[in-house]
Amino acid sequence: MTQVKRVDVLIIGAGPAGLALANWFRNSPITVLLIDKKPGPTQRGAAEGLKSITNEIFDSYGIGPQIAAESWRVEEIAFWGQKKKDGKSGGGIEREQVIQDKVEELGKFRETTLQQARVEYHMQRNLLNHENINIQYNTRPIEVKINESMSLLHGIDDVYPVEVRLVKKTQVQSEAVASNSLESSTTPPTVNGNTPEEVKVEEERVLAKYIIGCDGAHSWLRKQLDVQFEGDLTDSVFGVVDLVPKSNFPDLRRSCYLGASTGTILMMPRANKEVRLYVPVESGTSFSDPKDLTLERIIAAARDIFSPYTLEIGSVSWWSAYRVGQRVGSHFSRHNERAFLVGDAVHTHSPKAGQGMNTSIQDAYNLGWKLRLVLQKKSPFNNPEAARRLLATYESERRPVAQDLISFDRGYLKLFVGQPSSQFDTEFLRGMKFTTGLSIRYPAPSCVVQLPRDIKTSADLGPSLVKADLVPGKRLPDFQAVYQADAVTCWIHRRMQATGQFRVLVFAGDIATHQNLSDNIQELGRYLGDESNGMGRLTAGRARALVEVLMIHSADRAKVELLDLPEVFRPWSDEEGYNYWRVMADAESAHEGHGRVYERLEIDPKKGRTLVVRPDGYIGAVLAVDDFDGLGAYFKGLGML
Amino acid sequence: MTQVKRVDVLIIGAGPAGLALANWFRNSPITVLLIDKKPGPTQRGAAEGLKSITNEIFDSYGIGPQIAAESWRVEEIAFWGQKKKDGKSGGGIEREQVIQDKVEELGKFRETTLQQARVEYHMQRNLLNHENINIQYNTRPIEVKINESMSLLHGIDDVYPVEVRLVKKTQVQSEAVASNSLESSTTPPTVNGNTPEEVKVEEERVLAKYIIGCDGAHSWLRKQLDVQFEGDLTDSVFGVVDLVPKSNFPDLRRSCYLGASTGTILMMPRANKEVRLYVPVESGTSFSDPKDLTLERIIAAARDIFSPYTLEIGSVSWWSAYRVGQRVGSHFSRHNERAFLVGDAVHTHSPKAGQGMNTSIQDAYNLGWKLRLVLQKKSPFNNPEAARRLLATYESERRPVAQDLISFDRGYLKLFVGQPSSQFDTEFLRGMKFTTGLSIRYPAPSCVVQLPRDIKTSADLGPSLVKADLVPGKRLPDFQAVYQADAVTCWIHRRMQATGQFRVLVFAGDIATHQNLSDNIQELGRYLGDESNGMGRLTAGRARALVEVLMIHSADRAKVELLDLPEVFRPWSDEEGYNYWRVMADAESAHEGHGRVYERLEIDPKKGRTLVVRPDGYIGAVLAVDDFDGLGAYFKGLGML
């Protein structure tokens, strides 16, 4: 007998992308089913590097500290090249340069390494006490149908245009998990293959409002949606090994790029005294088929590159060999924004830039809040057109990122697998801004990214905004301020938890010195709290408000009294009294220094500035602090007013 | 039938002191039984404030991050006094001063608040995977006998001079826990009282090498040991309430001392929007018996003091009323250092200085490593005299601390319950150094604290050492350095986990510039690795070595190669290769600034310095960097060589 389930969101694949997406629906009534054909969570190996902005996402999910505690920090990157003798290259390698792994704008969160299994563990654990989110292993989809006319009715309850048939193994045989190949481990199982007698197969029917494929490079959903995967497998094969090295190589605890005459290696330090080696193998050699690449051969190649330094093995915890694919999907969503593809399911590339797991999680982070807004009770997006327009920005924002990544990766790969190059480190430095994700700028104007008045294209933004990175469509630069009420420090991205709320950040300026600023704040308070203009409905409701209003002033903290500010900045609750954590000062912390927010963001303390920040931490609008209409226009444009 | 158990250490009381003590025995073969008459862990209320050096202890147990994540930080302290009108005191209160809660020497760890129940939770959880440590609830001791002649045979295996009879309830009735009174909740139950039919009582006999009473102000063990509890209950009664306030008082999120004409209040912010109020009630009033003090009366008193500000109650999570005892035990150990008393069992005082739980944990921290050294396999303390001398320092070090605390507390209390005083904040500032624990200086010379050569008393120490706080018997000032191998920052107290190891900290100076320093390090390396002088035996054994050697140099980090240093600074393991985390540089971190260690500790980079740091982070000896004999003398004096 076939069971029928109804869920708001069906996610295929409980890897990093699927789990990151599911985390957006915590503390909401939105029902989510996450299925995976695996018998359980990933146990080891696979992706590893965590970019700073990914760590920031974990923090917005409340699991930053746990992940940080287990992660290994990368502080330095060393470049090693062929040893020069009298200007010519001789035998062996030598250290050419050591650089700091640092980008100022990233703020609190840093680049770290932690294996995918642990990343998944924490994201999965974070879902445990949320009854609206369920994970079902041993389950795979076999058929999907999407009702085209129903699919247009976004925002209307009880409309489930997506119908999926699933098969679920209820008793699992001991699977010979193909752990020595990333490529083969994501190969979809044969639906009609033989199932041994001891495995019972059950069929389920699921009706969903939205379906999302987070099912990896061999995505089943991508094939069902007729999305073309454009690009090719390259000729390059990579060997990857996690090992405890016994070696006299002096930079084992730095990230290293080694370019010897015998080949190249990318090495990253990990926890537990391990390092990870990426060893690319050129085409045309006997290793051009990943199946021929054994652990012994990878180690032998690594040993040649390390020479004259020794490389003995203490222990190997995981290894793999695979061919690099560089491809991007023709579409990121189909069927009137009812079906989406996320992560490896729509783009693949080499592991060197450390972008795989990171980009997958960031894709999911971009999509999740949009789905949440559309699906939540009393959604402001009950207009189907507004809802669809919002959801369509997933493709318009994330597909260019994937394309840029593929082009970047293609150049990077050529450099890496070719002869050692003196340009490599320069390229690397240039690339760091890219790989951190800081150069991402979502297209403007769109319904979620508004350009300043009288500006038609992003190119017309003034130099000050660009210099300070206060650009609509870019991620808000992280900064530290201190709370007015208790002087505790606050990093803005940590403050903005993933609740689905927009934030209005009011940089009120020096309100203690300038009466006009102080007057303006009173007026702004009235505007934001006004039910008749609609803003009052968005900002009211306290913790559940669609828009949270925060202030960062630059006045002498001792001269500001929180309770003298308008109520929207310290709302009252009949259960808990005032909210003390909406007003911050750009001030010195006794323990953690001065954030210098106004200076870094080039905001004039005599003028101030207002930002609309999207639920994912990207800037939606940059406004003059007295531009109330501009503020209203952002939410009107979205369809929320 | 009476069972017989043999354990190395029997701890009575699984509160903060008992759990802190038990944590010292993780990762050791030493068997520990922790009993408590309670049916399970504390659920709520009781002690709250965590001093910085207590947080540092948690960190050395590996549970710092978890506790920090749950704790509430205190950044500012506000003083409120009677409102002045024309120089005279009028009605109501006004803010007099706000000061930062900051003491430079404390380094990374700060003052926080977290309720005792959560502190216990984390310490208990930290014991879970250690089979050598067991906690048994519903169990209380009824008889103890200590064999006097056996008690002298410290360090000799299979000698169990302590015999204890326990009773254990195996089925628990629902106890009416006296949660509205701290005083009564620690009243020992009547041994021969009536037990309802459904409770089975089992008797056990335990043989132990050491017994430790962590059983609170009404300590059963203290009475059995005939230790006098000197001092008196004072006349002051305290009401304590944890509540969510609804109030227009502007400093609810600061620690506050409120002195109104109608009384005084001490207030601390807590997590979850709660605050804790301590309301002292003067003698002679109708509240002089804690039993007469109801929640309503405490709130009414608080409301009078808050006036003209409002004080309504959102919710109350816990409250209590008790009389302050100011007492200290005549002895901290008995029976030739076979029986010890820790925490409230030997000293009690008022809650205002926030010292109760903190001092208990610090007592335990002082005793734990000494017991661990004496009890460990192949202990260097198999000489009974040396072992007893080491254990005797628990009383000689901790009793003066308790006495100082009582005197401090007595003065503090008078100030606090008397009329509001303008001297209060000055006293408070002076007291902060005391309450942080930074002024603690264990007596010297002793077997664990060695004075520099040619110095007979601590008074003769030069001004430089005193200024830098590099004083034998004081806690090593915390500092930040970066690892030579990977540039990751390291705070020295976080680095020195509670493993029972002594540390030799070699401040090697600028070894890249000064050849004599570099030569000296080579020679020191030989000395420390030499088996014939005995030091080689102490430093060898890698992770399990009794003495861990660390270096902090002040040279240009780029000019130092780790593998050029002597092996004791980067020991080799056949399983894991080199150890990369024994050498640090006093250098700039890309992400966390410069620790300026040499400057702060007044160490000359041209000369260097060597410190012996005890397993509890206190300084054992301060030596010239080439004083190898002085180094050996410390361990000889202890009986370890």
Side-chain angles (χ1 to χ4, degrees), chain A residues 100-342:
Chain A
Q100 291 179 339
D101 188 359
K102 180 182 186 175
V103 180
E104 200 67 58
E105 298 91 320
L106 285 173
K108 192 172 181 59
F109 303 98
R110 262 165 302 196
E111 195 154 87
T112 56
T113 63
L114 183 65
Q115 57 165 312
Q116 181 176 338
R118 295 303 297 167
V119 171
E120 291 185 18
Y121 168 83
H122 286 291
M123 284 203 284
Q124 196 194 342
R125 208 185 130 103
N126 207 35
L127 302 173
L128 284 187
N129 293 319
H130 298 274
E131 287 177 9
N132 58 316
I133 305 168
N134 287 295
I135 307 182
Q136 203 173 295
Y137 288 102
N138 286 312
T139 303
R140 60 169 189 264
I142 51 171
E143 191 185 14
V144 59
K145 286 185 207 157
I146 301 177
N147 181 313
E148 207 66 14
S149 58
M150 277 164 77
S151 74
L152 286 162
L153 307 172
H154 292 281
I156 294 169
D157 263 357
D158 294 326
V159 173
Y160 295 84
V162 183
E163 184 179 342
V164 181
R165 279 202 302 141
L166 306 176
V167 290
K168 184 182 165 192
K169 291 189 256 176
T170 49
Q171 194 187 333
V172 192
Q173 92 209 87
S174 62
E175 288 199 21
V177 178
S179 69
N180 72 334
S181 165
L182 286 176
E183 189 81 341
S184 65
S185 71
T186 52
T187 305
T190 317
V191 173
N192 299 314
N194 293 327
T195 45
E197 287 181 332
E198 67 271 31
V199 179
K200 286 185 201 155
V201 173
E202 217 177 326
E203 206 175 299
E204 272 183 334
R205 213 159 60 91
V206 174
L207 296 175
K209 293 180 180 167
Y210 295 94
I211 184 168
I212 294 98
C214 302
D215 47 349
H218 296 273
S219 172
W220 174 87
L221 188 62
R222 186 182 67 228
K223 287 162 197 156
Q224 307 306 311
L225 298 177
D226 268 336
V227 167
Q228 301 310 305
F229 213 25
E230 295 156 359
D232 278 303
L233 278 183
T234 65
D235 287 339
S236 296
V237 172
F238 272 80
V240 190
V241 194
D242 289 338
L243 76 160
V244 174
K246 298 190 291 178
S247 164
N248 60 358
F249 180 71
D251 286 352
L252 279 180
R253 304 312 306 176
R254 288 168 165 146
S255 271
C256 288
Y257 288 75
L258 287 83
S261 59
T262 46
T264 54
I265 283 183
L266 190 158
M267 182 173 75
M268 287 193 301
R270 314 179 77 214
N272 300 324
K273 299 198 80 173
E274 288 192 353
V275 299
R276 166 168 289 196
L277 302 181
Y278 286 101
V279 187
V281 182
E282 269 276 39
S283 61
T285 72
S286 56
F287 305 140
S288 57
D289 184 335
K291 291 197 182 64
D292 296 335
L293 200 52
T294 61
L295 176 61
E296 290 65 33
R297 286 176 150 194
I298 298 171
I299 298 293
R303 212 169 262 150
D304 279 351
I305 297 164
F306 267 77
S307 168
Y309 298 101
T310 57
L311 178 63
E312 298 303 321
I313 294 174
S315 56
V316 170
S317 64
W318 180 78
W319 74 277
S320 176
Y322 59 102
R323 186 185 298 277
V324 173
Q326 312 252 56
R327 298 195 276 200
V328 62
S330 57
H331 296 81
F332 277 39
S333 67
R334 282 328 266 293
H335 299 286
N336 304 309
E337 280 67 43
R338 287 291 182 173
F340 299 87
L341 295 169
V342 171

Side-chain angles (χ1 to χ4, degrees), chain A residues 73 75-76 95 101-102 110 246 252-253 273 486 557 561 574 578 580-581 590-592, chain B residues 73 75-76 95 101-102 110 246 252-253 273 486 557 561 574 576 578 580 590-592:
Chain A
R73 259 163 67 183
E75 288 281 339
E76 291 179 326
R95 191 193 285 139
D101 188 359
K102 180 182 186 175
R110 262 165 302 196
K246 298 190 291 178
L252 279 180
R253 304 312 306 176
K273 299 198 80 173
D486 59 14
R557 203 174 135 258
E561 286 292 342
D574 285 340
Y578 292 113
Y580 297 93
W581 297 282
H591 293 103
E592 288 159 290
Chain B
R73 259 163 67 183
E75 287 283 338
E76 291 180 324
R95 193 194 282 138
D101 188 359
K102 179 181 187 179
R110 263 165 301 193
K246 299 190 291 176
L252 280 179
R253 303 312 304 176
K273 299 198 79 176
D486 57 17
R557 204 173 134 257
E561 286 291 344
D574 286 339
E576 302 193 320
Y578 292 113
Y580 297 93
H591 292 102
E592 287 160 290

Side-chain angles (χ1 to χ4, degrees), chain A residues 63-82:
Chain A
I63 50 176
Q66 297 92 305
I67 288 183
E70 281 187 35
S71 301
W72 197 257
R73 259 163 67 183
V74 179
E75 288 281 339
E76 291 179 326
I77 306 162
F79 297 93
W80 286 71
Q82 291 180 56

